[in-house]
Amino acid sequence: MNERYNHKKIESKWQAIWQNKGLFRVTEDPSRPKYYCLEMFPYPSGKIHMGHVRNYVIGDVIARYKKMKGYNVLHPMGWDSFGLPAENAAIKHGTHPAKWTLENIEYMKRQLMAMGLSYDWDREVNTCDPEYYKWNQWLFLKIYEKGLAYKKKSSVNWCISCETVLANEQVIDGRCWRCDTEVTEKELEQWFLRIEAYADELLSFCDRLHGWPERVITMQKNWIGESRGVEIDFPVERMDEKIRVFTTRQDTIFGATFVTLAPEHPILEKIVDSSQWTVVSDFIEKIKRQNRFIRTDISSEKEGVFTGSYAINPFTNEKIPIWVANFVLMEYGTGAIMCVPTHDQRDFEFAEKYGLPIRVVIVPEKSSEFGDFVELSRDVRSSEKFKISNSQLITHNSELITEAYEGEGLMVNSEEFSGLMSVEGRERIAEFAEAKGIGRRAVNYRLRDWGISRQRYWGTPIPIVYCGNCGIVPVPERDLPVLLPMDVNISGRGGSPLNGLRDFVNTICPECGGAARRETDTMDTFVDSSWYFIAYCFGKGNIDLNSALSTQHSALSYWMPVDQYIGGIEHAVLHLLYARFFTKMMRDLGIVRNDEPFESLLTQGMVIKDGAKMSKSKGNVVDPEELLNKYGADTSRLFSLFAAPPEKDLDWSDEGVEGAYRFLNRVWMMVNKSSEFRVQSSELDTEGLNAEEKALLRKVHHTIRKVTLDIEREFHFNTAIAALMELSNEIGDFMFRTRVSESTQQDAILRYAVEMLILMLSPFSPHIAEELWELMGNKQFVAEMRWPVWDEGLIRDEYVTVVIQVNGRLRDKINMPAGSTEEVLKEAALKSEKVRQFTGDKVIKNVIVVRDRLVNIVVR
Ligand code: ANZ
Ligand code: ZN
């Protein structure tokens, strides 16, 4: 039995056995604690890449470890298979998106299987399968019924190159997230989901996501973008109109010297003075063509025109001009702002450009920036002094200041509010406005409703028809799924190919039976991935959200939420926010009970090679398939886990792979050499061990402790693996020293140590572990064994007193870790101060070491 390590043979053998025995197939079992381990499902682009490998291997170790810990582990996998690349491939190669997608899935599935991942393939989901997207449509209908889906004409982000609408989340620095083309605006009728209605909950629940990385929570919070302030009404002079502004700096209201409206603001029609009408309407036309990202970019040019009308500042009662400007957005707040040039940089630049008045109303404490206000302190409230300065500071040019002071400070020039700190002033002004009925506290979110309409083919058809008599009519549930037609001509130009399919478009109104048209837009594929983790709970072919509506669905309440989610940081906002939103909607529909989908989240680092992210464009990709062929799954897994802790970037190194391979070979040889164990480890009698055997036992328990805690604490697999390597060295040394089998206990401890090593190695490199386990005569699967536990007693009692002699005479006693090697003991003995007095500069002839007992130094 001295075969060489043949990964190919072993790996395919065990993969087949696991699959045939259904080792990772799970069903709900209320008598056992569950653990739902999930990796983000891939887009079936063709081949897996190292990023996938890393992601799935991390998940697999967790899943296997938890199974050994006694959990009923759900570990599923599926395909996020709708989307643009399939259409692009269709255009490029003339293959149908369905064919391309299904072939890719088949190929990639084989690759995943070759990695020995412990998936329950009976729960595989595939989002382009009608069996799946039918439920997208069903959910859409439910959401629509609840008023959470609606259609509106809106200016959308449009990518000319992809010829599609992009969600805000898909626009990165004003460019398409996919093809990097500059995004433009387009007016289209679109379907929206009311994620805004969940903004406050999505935000407040951020603080309950204890298992999430701080960085992701911050990104989510920033994206939701809560902003607390007040809405205040500014009456329009000589008109029965009011302009409602939203501000977060109401403490600066005494410095509001003009009001500015968004070009899209409806009140413009009523208030623009006839003398200004042409100027204003030309301006509006011009700004409409400007991209929103340019409009809001702080560095871009602020432009505006005067409306010819005035508003009254309700606090100063001054008449102030009303302007229109590009930097005010209609979709945010009220679409109108009060401008305070001294304390808002945009307003400052605008005022400077157009010669509008500015007035200081906040001064930094103890600042000399504002001349007269140097000596102001918290308790100065006499307004006499401010009046003089007041007149000095209202100026039509900005001689006195060169930029806005946006910070906190002391309120000045603010009548009875002068002398307050700005923080407190905000409260007082808000109270005052509320008391006087001219304003109210308001919360605004940056988060916008999610536009899900896509003018693409390869997606879920939106289940809506348009009828001349009845208007918008949802497709009745019994008619689901609205099948995506397969006989299409994909040119890639001119919007959705579904438009041209008469059989698809022309239909009958479900309400009146008259002629009607089908919606031809498909859903954003992010809809598909917003609830796939719920779909896994049902199992392949069994998804039935309807059944969960009426009753408490046992599978859903058993498995959800996901205990551990693992994926890339690039999904920190997009996918994770949508998935949280869908979970909350589905909770409110009565489908699930949990408030949040993912208890814990692990965002793995990137795979780096030669200092750059591994990517096709950088030309530094390592194809996992080559790696699997050459070294096998176990080595590939081990390397990717050993090279870095999961959340850090993994620096690719060929030597690292070699190292992992050599380690597995050593373990292989070790077990093969000693595979004729005469005894079972159950015969081990820990009391009957000699010192050396005891030391090995201790090492085993130390290792169990270290590996367990490293896994439990933030999944630090790299240090866990290092500990296993150390243990394997110790076992190797032990075997070397005890070549001849001398006692039952010697064999028993060796066997025990090797078995523990294999058990602990198994989540990382499962195939070799199964093989060696079997070779040792064990009958069960390693994957089904219990994870070992350490004995505190064996770890605590770890120091022994070692006697040090010089030429046979006691000179010192030192405390050393039990089981220390001869080298360690020798070194410690020679370092002892007391010993040195006797050895001095004498020649050391010999050092005799009895482990855990004695060191005798022979000098001349
Ligand atoms: C007066 C003011 C004075 C402001 C000051 C700031 C500083 P966040 O935190 O982003 O919510 N604002 C409000 N609605 C706007 C819109 N539709 N388009 C562009 N800007 C808008 O910021 C809120 C601030 O952004 C508001 O407070 C308003 O300017 C501006 F010294 O009001 B502030
Ligand atoms: Zn009708």
Side-chain angles (χ1 to χ4, degrees), residues 483-647:
L483 283 176
L484 185 66
M486 286 294 130
D487 51 344
V488 282
N489 201 347
I490 299 164
S491 65
R493 303 283 119 215
S496 171
L498 292 179
N499 279 323
L501 287 184
R502 259 187 282 146
D503 285 353
F504 178 77
V505 176
N506 298 333
T507 182
I508 287 166
C509 170
E511 260 167 35
C512 71
R517 275 180 62 84
R518 253 186 222 292
E519 171 65 81
T520 54
D521 284 353
T522 55
M523 295 183 198
D524 182 355
T525 59
F526 276 94
V527 172
D528 311 350
S529 52
S530 292
W531 65 278
Y532 76 107
F533 42 90
I534 290 171
Y536 283 138
C537 299
F538 292 93
K540 204 172 183 171
N542 287 322
I543 305 174
D544 187 357
L545 297 179
N546 213 354
S547 69
L549 263 189
S550 39
T551 54
Q552 197 48 256
H553 199 281
S554 56
L556 284 185
S557 45
Y558 181 71
W559 293 118
M560 288 299 293
V562 172
D563 294 279
Q564 183 65 55
Y565 198 26
I566 307 138
I569 187 79
E570 66 274 19
H571 295 294
V573 187
L574 284 150
H575 161 59
L576 290 172
L577 193 66
Y578 295 149
R580 294 182 62 211
F581 166 49
F582 258 65
T583 302
K584 290 175 192 299
M585 275 199 304
M586 289 172 84
R587 173 202 61 196
D588 294 345
L589 286 169
I591 299 168
V592 292
R593 285 198 297 178
N594 49 300
D595 296 311
E596 289 285 339
F598 315 121
E599 277 293 304
S600 289
L601 172 72
L602 192 161
T603 48
Q604 87 267 7
M606 292 186 298
V607 182
I608 305 278
K609 188 166 183 256
D610 311 325
K613 182 182 173 174
M614 219 182 242
S615 76
K616 263 193 208 146
S617 59
K618 298 256 161 46
N620 59 354
V621 268
V622 174
D623 183 357
E625 192 149 305
E626 281 171 31
L627 198 70
L628 286 173
N629 275 331
K630 187 161 175 206
Y631 296 99
D634 284 339
T635 296
S636 311
R637 295 170 59 118
L638 197 70
F639 163 71
S640 79
L641 295 161
F642 182 54
E647 74 283 359

Side-chain angles (χ1 to χ4, degrees), residues 227 246-248 252 327 329 332 337-338 343-344 346 446:
S227 163
F246 172 68
T247 177
T248 49
T252 66
F327 67 87
L329 295 178
Y332 190 67
I337 63 173
M338 63 177 212
H343 303 297
D344 182 298
R346 285 178 318 187
R446 291 246 159 253

